[in-house]
Amino acid sequence: MTATLVRAGRWVTGHLVMFVALLVLFYMFLPIMVVVLMSFDDTADVAYQFNGFTLANWSDPCSSYGMCDAVAKSLQIGLLATVGATLLGTLMAFAMARHHFRGRSIANVGIFLPMASPEIVMGSSLLALFVSAGFAGQLGFATILIAHIMFCLSFVVVAVKARLSGMDNGLEQAAMDLYANEWQTFWRVTFPLVFPGIVGAALLAFSLSFDDYIITNLVAGQSQTFPMYVWGVSRREIPPQINVIGTAMLLVSILVVVMAEVVRRGRNRA
Amino acid sequence: MTAPAPFPGGGGADDQQQPPPPRRSRTGYLLLLPGTLWLLLFFIVPLVTLVSTSLYDPAGTLETGYQLTFAFGNYVDAIDDYATEFTRSLLYGGLATLFALLLGYPLAYAIAFRAGRWKYVMLLLVIAPFFTSFLIRTLSWKMLLADQGVIVEVLRFLHILGDDGRLLATAPAVVLGLTYNFLPFMVLPLYASLDKIDVRLIEAAGDLYASPPQAFRRVTLPLSMPGVVAGTLLTFIPAAGDYINVELLGTPQQTMIGNRIQSLFGAGSYPAAAALSVTLMLLILAMVMLYIRRAGTDELL
């Protein structure tokens, strides 16, 4: 009797947790469903209401004035910032995970601090630096890029380090036992093993860069990125084309992740 | 799925579990150098500049230039004039963090222990919102919470809201937006630390006659504390500094400190804006340190 009760209790708690979890996921996806829906809306409006179905926004996303320029700028900055942050961050992650050096705890704090600083503080301090260094008139692409590499860096270090410290050292030792030198061991064993972690970190860096508004807005000068464009139109009529970009970003990222998963499974089977 | 855990639970927890092989060489420093220089130049030096900017003569402008006069009065003014905004930022940020924890814990728990082969799909779903712009998603909340929207209609029907009650342009809408926007930052570290727990420990608690709630309170929860600490920090800090949710979902009555810093910088009042920014940073650092100390002792118990 009690055993049945306990079992029933466990079933309820088990499924209750899952039920709550699914509700929370629904909460996370509710606005995304709106974004997808609104990408098919046929008029720009202030109230952000669905007025009627059309495919026009998808066939001609650039019809919203200035938007595609902003998207292009965000893509350029995103790609460059991703390359920069991934390169610097991966090197740092290797140092942190694989090498002994003095000042390690200071380095740890230094890497954690940017993640623990409000964006408004980082943005305003960079602006203060650029202004006092006499660059107030030259704010733009370069200053945005500098800022983006800075705030993406810590996230890359943390992501790659997590991958490195979860790795089995035995494989590298085996390679060395089989007379591979350090260089060969690195390129043939270590790097391929860490690579998925680096890709994950790069994706994270790109999405952080592409999406940033608060810091970018402070150091952008006259340049306009996509989030700045969205902010600008959010006070006026909201063109449905911005939702096309939002939906397309989501689709591309899901595609990338699915492809990565397919490659991984294929490799595991081989 | 390549990197399910971009945020590991506690900062240095990994280092303790697996000490790096003793390779004391110059390579370590060389690898560290470029990134460190970047952080030094574009994170640390700017912070120092921010502090000195906050002590400039407030009478200066971009055209006439600024003078460092150690005007500590800027801070007195900042705290005097904007005490309400500071309190509101900490309150909204704190509430959003609490709600994110209450929502995020069951989700992270379900992913770690109950999802089975759906684990990676669910993790992907948690990360997916990251890939649709933050601003666009907040604008969708504006539509969802609008006076003619479904949510308001339902709440009015259930008499949770009065007949003329509204959600958009209220404090609850701002807190809801903050909770929503930073929820993934709560879920990922929680998941990372829950996923590390050896399930046998929880089973052992059951074998020793602990009821499921007891086992949760005495075993699972304490073991997940690093994730709780990391998650609450990663949620609270950006939430307290945010001004986007107030601008899009609130009214000037909900103004947070971020709005003030942004508008003062926009108006060129650099010293006052810098003083506010430094004060915010110090407030947050103080709260974080207090919190880590509290959480640290709880972990020992």
Side-chain angles (χ1 to χ4, degrees), chain A residues 27-29 31 35 48 88 97 100 102 116 124-125 132 146 155 158 165 211 217 227 231 235 242 249 253 261, chain B residues 1 6-8 18 20 23 29 34 42 46 49 125 131 133-136 140 143 176 180 237 247 262 265 277:
Chain A
Y27 168 65
M28 295 176 83
F29 270 83
V35 173
Y48 213 60
L88 298 180
H100 261 303
R102 235 171 283 160
S124 53
S125 55
S132 64
I146 286 174
F155 287 95
V158 170
S165 53
D211 208 16
N217 181 46
W231 182 260
R235 317 306 185 68
I242 63 170
M249 283 289 295
S253 57
E261 180 70 9
Chain B
M1 240 350 269
F7 310 100
Q18 199 180 39
R23 250 191 267 169
Y29 293 105
F42 301 118
T49 328
L125 291 178
F131 293 100
S133 165
F134 164 66
L135 286 172
I136 301 181
S140 341
M143 174 180 176
L176 180 142
Y180 173 80
I237 293 165
E247 288 277 344
Q262 171 63 34
F265 268 113
S277 208

Side-chain angles (χ1 to χ4, degrees), chain B residues 54-283:
Chain B
S54 72
L55 299 172
Y56 284 168
D57 180 1
T61 63
L62 260 184
E63 288 75 33
T64 59
Y66 296 96
Q67 281 186 321
L68 182 57
T69 54
F70 293 97
F72 286 102
N74 289 341
Y75 282 89
V76 180
D77 293 345
I79 294 163
D80 266 4
D81 296 351
Y82 299 110
T84 346
E85 281 87 347
F86 273 119
T87 327
R88 216 178 270 141
S89 291
L90 299 182
L91 179 68
Y92 289 177
L95 282 173
T97 310
L98 181 68
F99 291 133
L101 182 63
L102 292 178
L103 296 175
Y105 204 102
L107 179 55
Y109 186 92
I111 299 175
F113 296 124
R114 308 257 185 249
R117 63 202 169 98
W118 295 100
K119 197 169 186 168
Y120 290 109
V121 175
M122 283 182 82
L123 262 182
L124 170 63
L125 291 178
V126 171
I127 303 169
F130 266 136
F131 293 100
T132 318
S133 165
F134 164 66
L135 286 172
I136 301 181
R137 280 179 288 137
T138 312
L139 280 174
S140 341
W141 274 114
K142 200 170 170 173
M143 174 180 176
L144 285 164
L145 299 175
D147 290 348
Q148 294 81 31
V150 192
I151 298 177
V152 169
E153 298 274 313
V154 170
L155 290 180
R156 279 182 187 163
F157 178 75
L158 296 173
H159 294 284
I160 295 172
L161 273 180
D163 283 341
D164 51 353
R166 50 191 321 220
L167 280 175
L168 193 62
T170 62
V174 176
V175 174
L176 180 142
L178 289 169
T179 310
Y180 173 80
N181 274 311
F182 301 109
L183 190 54
F185 288 97
M186 178 66 86
V187 177
L188 293 176
L190 276 177
Y191 163 77
S193 82
L194 282 168
D195 197 47
K196 276 184 198 156
I197 295 177
D198 188 342
V199 188
R200 285 172 299 183
L201 289 173
I202 303 168
E203 286 166 4
D207 294 342
L208 296 165
Y209 302 106
S211 66
Q214 277 176 325
F216 176 78
R217 212 178 53 243
R218 306 282 290 272
V219 181
T220 317
L221 188 61
L223 286 172
S224 67
M225 272 317 274
V228 174
V229 172
T232 42
L233 289 181
L234 285 173
T235 309
F236 176 73
I237 293 165
D242 182 78
Y243 65 85
I244 291 171
N245 286 283
V246 176
E247 288 277 344
L248 298 181
L249 304 175
T251 65
Q253 259 109 57
Q254 283 89 39
T255 306
M256 291 164 73
I257 200 63
N259 306 66
R260 296 298 185 204
I261 299 176
Q262 171 63 34
S263 58
L264 283 171
F265 268 113
S269 321
Y270 286 50
L276 282 182
S277 208
V278 173
T279 313
L280 175 65
M281 184 79 192
L282 290 177
L283 263 178

